[in-house]
């Protein structure tokens, strides 16, 4: 904190208001490549950011430790000549509620133990499919966040994280099968079974090949599929910045039924041990659980301080500095509420359709407009209620506002994907499927 | 010392950076040890609509130690050079945890050299006011166009000065500047939102982003036109790719397959990618070449100190070479090509492309169009992605081709296919090579790496396009 105070003091001599934000982190990823331990890493970094209001304009600069903290003030002053008008106040002193994001066990986990976890995971997958090649990453880490501003606002918290991910590749002739999954949490866990079982299920389903023809088909997006295909356009549309500039299709839709009644979505920065959780956001605003969609009705958008001020509303505690940059509205953790249909019942309901687990190239289309689409990297064909096998050379394309307007079903089995999304499978009707040779 | 390093201060040492690094490289029992250290300065300017969203400056410094012991790697990254010997010791301890089969890195000659490119009008040295004024002009043009709801402008310039030193006696200092600009126009009518964009880059010359007023006007016009454009019917088409998109194809679809770290430990993939195997017609040549001057993917030494070299990936349709680090070259019994690159000090170098392109052939655009009954002409670039065998990439601008002529504008399309069949299906290669310097490449969490790619117009038979 002492270093930050010094920067704040020197900034205050040149600016009306100032804010110093600092992150230091230490991460240790252990990487297995092609089933073998290839590399162990330790990554330490510490960087600080200074934001000032000078002559009514915002200036911003960042520096790594040793990279010139003393240069922060000059750089921020320089950019403030051109910065946008300062239209908000830095938050003053407040009490933040506690959010559970530290597991004291994480820091002490030995490298050897992490190596063992990776080996066990690989062994279990190879027990099912001996000739698969697995890349596994086991990562532990800790970080400390500090923030202090000229209006009396001050906060500091620590967090820990532990994650496990696996990507498997199986090559037969020129056919390549990619499977994989990941888990991350603030808490340490040496349970590899859930992850391994999901990957083994993928391998089972993909054993046979199936074909599909070009037409409109119902699709079940698994939790991974929801993350891969549907998430990006939604995240963009709920961003207060897209709304403010009139680029979000949800602008003027607050309080309106835009999605299926079965669909409820919220952003929650308070989930215990969620890697997206925090007691206060990167601007010192308290975190909260924010409904975005309630029974299909648009309820809120995500705001940081500046965007909220421009939009005439309050920050929702979603100001985040992705990659240490300028604060901007971003999701913390997204929760999509579970429904009442089992995955098995969805499959049995299908006469002909697809299950989509993973797309490639899904983020390339007109995301602002809600379009999604891409090549099905991992997906299965369903015929008469039975999974027939994996599809290849198949593309899907659709629009989230059409597909999520009327859902055939919302799954019971919600789960965390990639640490910051919790979602059930979604059963959607009439998605465009295109394939080779038809 | 060349004065490249303006703000390194090594606490507790009265020596220069070079001596500190040299000391740390001595007296250990690693099979191989390397140290990177770098400083960088960056300026970011971002507009969202008429609002200047961000104008910021950043200064960074940091480094890493990489150690090889008995075939496995340890890696430690840090911000401060102080205590470097302890970091070396930690990297060694990490490396000893693993136990792969030992191997010897592909030998490279040790080099002591300083590489500082001369820029005529370097972007990092330009006053902030001049950068902002230019971007204001582009933004005004876009926002002043009919049916335009908003815009996005993202400008970034970054200078990086790096030191590479290893236990074999190399000490290389290199300076490099990277410059990127993306302009996006967003049109809206009722509930329809469409966008069109332009992505550019360069090795630091500010001129790369000047005089784009006409292009700014053109993307605004196209975004508006997309509002009333139809969506293509999904299915299989004969497709002509413009040079930008064909370059992305060369990079995504084939380039990544040529990165040996995907291949070297996978026996099945090694067979698929056996040198000498035919991948396309005699007219097909694909090259990766970091030695071409002044492109975004150009450099003299890679991040393992290996000299950059031109590599034919495919020559006359036959697989001739691939991209290597010192490790992958050693393990495959081939030569290191100088393609081990890291985006910054937080990451170890991995096998990456540089400037990747399809060599020009002789077909004219008109001749390619001529015998297409129904097809699609795809241009511009939203992005691309690959999973080795399968690729997808998307075109922000596309037109139907009917009876040998360009017809209506289409909504953005996504193309996909199997790399091996698609390469075979390239049946015409134009003579009009262009290099595309926009965007950046991502791999293994390392994004965006400065690269360029290029091609002349090419024609592909039986290409799957996603659509309604």
């Amino acid at each position: 904190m002492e270093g930050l105070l010094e920067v704040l003091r020197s900034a205050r001599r040149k600016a009306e208001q100032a804010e110093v934000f600092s992150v230091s982190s230490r991460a240790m990823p252990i990487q297995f490549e092609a089933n073998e331990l290839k590399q162990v890493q330790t990554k330490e970094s510490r960087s600080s950011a200074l934001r000032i209001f000078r002559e009514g304009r915002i200036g911003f600069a960042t520096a790594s430790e040793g990279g010139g903290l003393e240069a922060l003030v000059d750089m921020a002053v320089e950019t403030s000549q051109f910065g946008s008008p300062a239209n908000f106040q830095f938050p003053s002193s407040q009490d933040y509620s506690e959010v559970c994001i530290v597991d004291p066990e994480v820091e002490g986990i030995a490298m050897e133990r992490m190596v063992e976890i990776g080996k066990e995971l690989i062994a279990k997958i190879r027990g099912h499919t001996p000739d698969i090649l697995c890349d596994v990453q086991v990562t532990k880490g800790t970080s400390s966040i500090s923030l202090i501003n000229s209006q009396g606002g001050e906060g500091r918290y620590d967090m820990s994280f532990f994650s496990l991910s696996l990507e498997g590749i199986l090559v037969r002739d020129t056919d390549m099968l990619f499977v994989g999954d990941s888990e991350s949490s603030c808490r340490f866990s040496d349970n590899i079974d859930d992850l391994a079982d999901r990957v083994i299920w993928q391998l089972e389903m993909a054993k046979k090949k199936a074909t599909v023809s070009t037409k409109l088909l119902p699709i079940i997006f698994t939790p991974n599929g929801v993350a891969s295909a549907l998430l990006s356009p939604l995240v963009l549309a709920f961003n207060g910045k897209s709304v403010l500039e009139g680029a979000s299709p949800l602008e003027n839709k607050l309080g309106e039924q835009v999605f299926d009644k079965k669909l409820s979505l919220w952003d929650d920065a308070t989930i215990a041990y969620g890697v997206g959780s925090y007691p206060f956001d990167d601007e010192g605003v308290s975190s909260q659980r924010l409904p975005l969609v309630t029974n299909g009705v648009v309820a809120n958008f995500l705001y940081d301080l500046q965007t909220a001020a421009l939009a005439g509303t309050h920050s929702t505690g979603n100001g985040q500095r992705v990659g240490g940059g300028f604060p901007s509205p971003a999701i913390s953790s997204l929760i999509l509420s579970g429904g009442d249909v089992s995955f098995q019942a969805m499959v049995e309901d299908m006469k002909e359709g697809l299950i989509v687990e993973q797309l490639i190239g899904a983020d390339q289309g007109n995301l602002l407009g809600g379009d999604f689409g891409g090549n099905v990297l991992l997906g299965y064909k369903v015929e008469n209620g039975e999974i027939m096998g994996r599809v290849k050379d198949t593309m899907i394309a659709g629009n989230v506002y059409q597909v999520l307007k009327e859902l055939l079903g919302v799954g019971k089995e919600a789960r965390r994907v990639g640490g910051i999304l919790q979602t059930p499978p979604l059963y959607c009707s009439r998605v465009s499927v295109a394939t080779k040779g038809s | 010392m060349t004065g490249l390093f303006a703000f390194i201060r090594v606490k507790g040492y009265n020596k220069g950076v070079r001596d500190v690094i040299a000391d740390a490289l001595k007296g250990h029992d690693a099979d191989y040890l390397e140290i990177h250290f770098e400083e960088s300065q960056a300026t970011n300017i971002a507009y969202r609509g008429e609002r200047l969203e961000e104008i910021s400056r950043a200064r960074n410094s940091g480094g890493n130690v990489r150690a090889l012991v008995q075939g496995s790697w340890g890696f430690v990254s840090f911000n401060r050079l102080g205590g470097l010997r302890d970091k070396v010791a930690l990297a060694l301890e990490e490396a000893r945890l693993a136990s792969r089969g030992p191997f010897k890195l592909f030998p490279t000659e040790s080099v002591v050299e300083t590489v500082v490119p001369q820029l005529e009008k370097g972007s990092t040295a330009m006053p902030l006011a001049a950068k902002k004024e230019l971007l204001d002009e582009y933004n005004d043009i876009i926002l002043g166009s009919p049916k335009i709801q908003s815009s996005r402008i993202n400008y970034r310039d970054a200078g990086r000065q790096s030191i590479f030193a290893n236990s074999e006696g190399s000490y290389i200092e290199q300076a490099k500047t990277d410059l990127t600009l993306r302009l996006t126009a967003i049109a809206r009518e009722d509930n329809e939102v469409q966008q069109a964009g332009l992505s550019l880059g360069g090795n630091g010359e500010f001129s790369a982003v000047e005089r784009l007023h006409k292009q700014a006007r053109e993307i605004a016009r196209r975004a508006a036109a997309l509002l009333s454009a139809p969506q293509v019917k999904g299915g299989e088409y004969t497709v002509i790719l413009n040079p930008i998109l064909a370059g992305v194809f060369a990079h995504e679809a084939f380039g990544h397959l040529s990165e040996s770290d995907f291949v070297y430990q996978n026996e099945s993939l090694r067979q698929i990618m056996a040198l000498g195997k035919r991948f396309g017609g005699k007219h097909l040549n694909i090259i990766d070449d970091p030695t071409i001057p002044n492109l975004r993917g150009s450099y003299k030494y890679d991040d393992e100190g290996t000299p950059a070299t031109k590599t034919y990936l495919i020559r006359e349709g036959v697989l001739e070479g691939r991209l290597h680090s010192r490790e992958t070259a050693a393990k495959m019994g081939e030569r290191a090509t100088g393609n081990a690159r890291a985006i910054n000090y937080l990451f170890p170098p991995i096998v990456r492309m540089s400037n990747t392109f399809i060599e020009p052939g002789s077909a004219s655009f008109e001749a390619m169009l001529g015998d297409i009954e129904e097809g699609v002409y795809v241009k511009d670039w939203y992005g691309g992605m690959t999973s080795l065998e399968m690729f997808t990439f998307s075109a922000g601008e596309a037109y139907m081709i009917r009876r040998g002529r360009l017809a209506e504008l289409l909504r953005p399309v996504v193309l996909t296919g199997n790399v091996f069949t698609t390469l075979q299906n390239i049946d015409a290669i134009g003579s009009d090579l262009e290099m595309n310097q926009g965007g950046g490449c991502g791999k293994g969490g390392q994004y965006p790496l400065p690269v360029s790619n290029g091609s002349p117009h090419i024609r592909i038979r039986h290409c799957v396009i996603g659509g309604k």
Side-chain angles (χ1 to χ4, degrees):
Chain A
M1 219 47 150
E2 199 39 51
L4 301 194
L5 264 173
E6 212 172 288
V7 176
L8 187 71
R9 275 191 217 111
S10 88
R12 278 290 278 146
R13 285 196 279 274
K14 294 189 174 165
E16 296 98 68
Q17 292 193 27
E19 171 205 57
V20 189
F21 175 86
S22 164
V23 188
S24 45
S25 64
R26 184 180 162 96
M28 185 179 288
I30 294 198
Q31 289 174 303
F32 291 83
E33 193 180 83
N35 303 333
E36 285 187 83
L37 179 54
K38 179 191 182 186
Q39 183 163 255
V40 178
Q41 304 185 33
T42 304
K43 297 183 174 199
E44 272 185 332
S45 67
R46 187 184 159 111
S47 65
S48 300
L50 170 67
R51 189 161 49 156
I52 58 168
F53 300 165
R54 186 172 185 267
E55 291 169 11
R57 292 184 173 274
I58 300 173
F60 186 76
T62 62
S64 65
E65 172 148 319
L69 276 184
E70 61 287 350
L72 273 175
V73 177
D74 288 344
M75 293 193 295
V77 167
E78 184 191 359
T79 61
S80 72
Q81 302 169 61
F82 311 100
S84 49
N87 59 347
F88 62 95
Q89 305 277 320
F90 291 123
S92 55
S93 160
Q94 51 191 294
D95 290 325
Y96 301 113
S97 352
E98 195 167 317
V99 177
C100 285
I101 44 176
V102 175
D103 174 359
E105 207 186 334
V106 167
E107 193 160 9
I109 303 162
M111 291 192 270
E112 290 80 359
R113 179 115 183 258
M114 292 167 68
V115 170
E116 278 317 305
I117 292 171
K119 282 184 177 164
E120 264 176 57
L121 178 60
I122 291 169
K124 183 154 182 186
I125 303 297
R126 293 184 77 196
H128 178 272
T129 303
D131 44 356
I132 192 168
L133 290 173
C134 298
D135 288 356
V136 164
Q137 189 154 321
V138 186
T139 306
K140 72 163 188 177
T142 51
S143 54
S144 301
I145 283 86
S146 307
L147 183 142
I148 183 166
N149 68 41
S150 56
Q151 311 312 104
E154 190 177 334
R156 186 184 182 287
Y157 66 88
D158 292 328
M159 74 180 291
S160 57
F161 57 93
F162 186 83
S163 72
L164 189 58
S165 73
L166 179 139
E167 282 174 42
I169 173 170
L170 191 62
V171 184
R172 296 229 161 88
D173 302 322
T174 66
D175 173 51
M176 299 177 199
L177 169 65
F178 293 87
V179 293
D181 214 320
S182 67
E183 280 175 4
S184 53
S185 160
C186 296
R187 239 183 321 198
F188 170 66
S189 159
D190 56 5
N191 173 15
I192 56 145
D193 291 340
D194 294 346
L195 176 57
D197 289 346
R198 288 197 299 273
V199 172
I200 288 170
W201 185 80
Q202 293 172 344
L203 286 165
E204 274 297 313
M205 295 304 113
K207 259 186 181 162
K208 282 189 285 186
K209 277 190 220 160
T211 54
V212 62
S213 51
T214 298
K215 61 169 106 167
L216 291 172
L217 285 175
I219 291 186
I220 300 169
F221 291 94
T222 64
N224 277 326
V226 172
S228 167
L230 308 177
L231 197 60
S232 299
L234 289 180
V235 168
L236 256 185
F238 281 95
N239 188 318
K241 282 195 170 170
S242 315
V243 177
L244 178 67
E245 68 178 335
S248 167
L250 298 178
E251 185 208 4
N252 304 324
K253 295 282 164 67
L254 272 184
E256 280 185 37
Q257 183 89 39
V258 171
F259 302 103
D260 189 292
K261 279 203 172 80
K262 295 188 280 292
L263 203 82
S264 290
L265 175 72
W266 59 91
D267 181 80
D268 193 346
T270 69
I271 303 170
Y273 301 111
V275 291
S277 297
Y278 43 77
F280 56 87
D281 73 359
D282 296 348
E283 299 180 299
V285 178
S286 285
S287 62
Q288 60 168 325
R289 180 181 187 276
L290 180 76
L292 300 177
V293 178
T294 308
N295 300 324
V297 175
V298 177
N300 280 296
F301 301 121
L302 304 168
Y303 288 102
D304 61 2
L305 287 170
Q306 191 186 14
T307 313
L310 289 165
T313 182
H314 301 287
S315 166
T316 53
N318 288 90
Q320 297 192 44
R321 308 177 190 240
V322 178
F326 203 80
S328 183
I331 56 165
S332 55
S333 286
L334 277 185
I335 316 287
L336 223 137
S337 62
D340 53 5
V341 192
S342 73
F343 180 73
Q344 187 55 33
M346 287 181 186
V347 175
E348 282 169 13
D349 182 68
M350 259 188 184
K351 193 166 182 317
E352 185 188 10
L354 287 183
I355 298 170
V356 170
E357 287 244 60
Q358 190 72 44
L359 294 184
I360 56 169
D363 287 356
Q364 296 170 30
N366 179 11
L367 292 182
L368 265 176
D371 289 352
F372 67 89
N375 192 309
V376 180
L377 181 65
L378 185 59
Y380 324 105
K381 172 81 182 294
V382 177
E383 278 171 35
N384 300 316
E386 257 184 79
I387 300 175
M388 304 307 290
R390 167 192 176 211
V391 294
K392 292 192 67 180
D393 295 303
T394 302
M395 294 202 70
I396 64 167
N399 184 286
V400 289
Y401 301 105
Q402 285 160 19
V403 163
L404 300 180
K405 199 175 168 71
E406 258 176 85
L407 287 165
L408 296 173
V410 174
K412 269 184 196 168
E413 300 95 342
R415 70 169 194 88
R416 291 256 187 102
V417 183
I420 56 159
L421 171 70
Q422 178 175 312
T423 179
L426 295 178
Y427 184 11
C428 304
S429 65
R430 296 170 60 78
V431 179
S432 159
V433 176
T435 184
K436 221 166 167 64
S438 57
Chain B
M1 290 299 290
T2 56
L4 268 184
F5 293 85
F7 51 89
I8 292 178
R9 245 179 283 138
V10 190
K11 287 220 172 97
Y13 289 88
N14 291 318
K15 301 174 187 169
V17 176
R18 187 168 176 178
D19 293 335
V20 171
I21 290 174
D23 276 356
L25 285 169
K26 279 184 206 150
H28 52 77
D29 56 358
D31 298 331
Y32 172 80
L33 194 61
E34 69 186 24
I35 293 174
H36 292 93
F37 196 79
E38 70 187 37
E39 294 180 347
S40 64
Q41 313 77 29
T43 298
N44 280 302
I45 304 175
Y47 286 78
R48 180 184 282 248
E50 58 192 23
R51 254 174 25 80
L52 176 72
E53 187 170 61
E54 176 179 346
I55 180 160
S56 67
R57 296 203 42 206
R59 256 163 90 147
N60 253 290
S61 71
N64 63 59
V65 177
R66 198 163 67 125
L68 180 68
V69 181
Q70 293 283 311
S72 298
W73 294 98
F75 177 87
V76 175
S77 73
F78 50 84
N79 287 125
R80 288 185 183 279
L81 263 181
L84 193 54
R85 288 196 68 87
D86 296 341
K87 285 153 188 161
V88 169
L90 177 57
L92 280 161
E93 187 192 330
E94 290 173 343
R96 286 193 199 103
L97 270 182
S99 51
R100 297 199 300 178
F103 66 94
K104 278 214 161 26
L105 290 171
F106 183 85
T108 52
E109 287 196 17
S110 67
V111 178
V112 176
E113 193 174 340
T114 298
V115 185
V116 184
Q118 292 306 316
L119 297 177
E120 270 179 35
K121 192 176 171 187
S123 48
T124 51
M126 291 291 291
L128 214 44
K131 296 173 188 174
K132 182 170 179 288
E133 194 181 322
L134 180 67
L135 300 179
D136 276 338
E137 289 171 17
Y138 298 153
N139 205 23
D140 289 347
I141 289 172
I142 294 172
L143 291 172
S145 303
K147 294 185 184 171
I148 293 300
Q149 170 91 23
S150 190
S151 62
R152 295 274 189 285
I153 293 183
N154 294 89
Y155 169 94
R156 177 180 170 82
D157 61 52
R160 178 185 180 207
Q161 302 83 43
S162 62
I163 296 172
F164 167 85
N166 68 16
S167 53
E168 297 163 349
S170 284
Y171 184 88
I172 302 168
E173 291 187 0
Q174 293 189 95
K176 189 165 163 29
T177 307
D178 191 48
L179 170 65
T180 51
L181 174 66
R182 180 152 181 98
L183 305 177
T184 306
I186 299 169
R188 179 169 180 176
E189 199 165 45
D190 304 323
N191 278 336
E192 276 297 334
V193 178
Q194 287 292 330
Q195 51 185 304
L198 173 69
S199 193
L200 290 167
N203 67 332
E205 290 290 0
F206 194 66
S207 57
V209 297
E210 291 179 314
R211 286 177 292 280
L212 299 172
H213 306 79
K214 210 175 124 207
Q215 285 96 320
R217 206 162 286 131
E218 170 56 26
I219 59 166
R221 189 200 60 73
R222 200 167 75 234
L226 284 171
L227 289 168
S228 52
Q231 202 178 349
V232 69
K233 190 172 170 293
E236 211 177 283
Y237 292 92
T238 297
V239 173
I240 298 178
L241 277 61
N242 85 329
I244 288 181
L245 209 52
V248 175
F249 170 78
H251 173 100
E252 290 296 335
F254 190 75
H256 282 294
L257 266 178
S258 299
E259 294 168 343
S260 299
D261 52 347
F262 283 129
V263 183
Y264 76 116
Q265 288 171 312
N266 188 325
E267 197 40 53
S268 323
L269 271 179
R270 283 174 83 142
Q271 282 166 21
I272 294 171
M273 295 299 289
L275 299 183
K277 202 161 163 177
R278 176 157 293 280
F279 276 84
K282 273 208 145 254
H283 59 177
L284 183 65
N285 294 286
I286 303 181
I287 291 160
D288 182 86
D289 190 358
T291 69
I292 303 171
N294 302 329
L295 291 173
R296 271 188 83 208
S298 306
Y299 49 86
K300 187 156 185 199
Y301 296 97
D302 75 358
D303 293 319
E304 292 184 327
T306 306
T309 50
K310 174 178 181 176
T311 306
Y312 266 90
L313 306 176
I314 292 184
R315 201 198 290 260
E316 296 184 357
V318 170
L319 190 68
E320 179 168 295
R322 58 181 124 243
L323 307 178
H324 279 298
S325 64
R326 293 183 64 185
E327 175 179 357
T328 61
K331 289 189 167 169
M332 295 188 77
E334 293 167 12
R335 297 189 61 78
T337 55
N339 287 86
R341 304 177 67 193
I343 54 162
N344 59 39
Y345 64 89
L346 291 169
F347 298 92
I350 54 176
V351 181
R352 304 296 294 257
M353 282 172 262
S354 61
N355 307 304
T356 312
F357 59 98
I358 298 178
E359 248 184 8
S362 56
S364 73
F365 182 61
E366 290 69 29
M368 285 190 209
L369 269 179
D371 53 357
I372 299 177
E373 186 55 31
E374 188 189 56
V376 182
Y377 176 42
V378 287
K379 294 174 77 170
D380 192 22
W381 169 42
Y382 265 170
M385 202 167 153
T386 171
S387 64
L388 300 188
E389 173 200 32
M390 302 302 297
F391 67 86
T392 77
F393 48 92
S394 46
E397 185 177 3
Y399 301 86
M400 282 305 292
I401 301 168
R402 295 180 201 285
R403 291 187 201 89
R405 285 167 187 273
L406 291 182
E408 72 273 17
L409 175 72
L410 297 166
R411 288 286 165 90
V413 300
V414 182
L415 296 92
T416 188
N418 175 294
V419 180
F420 306 110
T421 46
T422 304
L423 286 171
Q424 300 281 1
N425 287 342
I426 297 175
D427 75 340
I429 295 177
S431 54
D432 47 354
L433 172 67
E434 275 179 50
M435 296 304 287
N436 160 32
Q437 306 217 67
C441 175
K443 178 179 169 186
Q446 299 199 45
Y447 172 86
L449 184 79
V451 295
S452 75
N453 47 62
S455 173
H457 276 92
I458 63 171
R459 184 170 69 186
I460 303 173
R461 299 281 182 189
H462 310 294
C463 189
V464 175
I465 287 188
K468 290 197 283 223

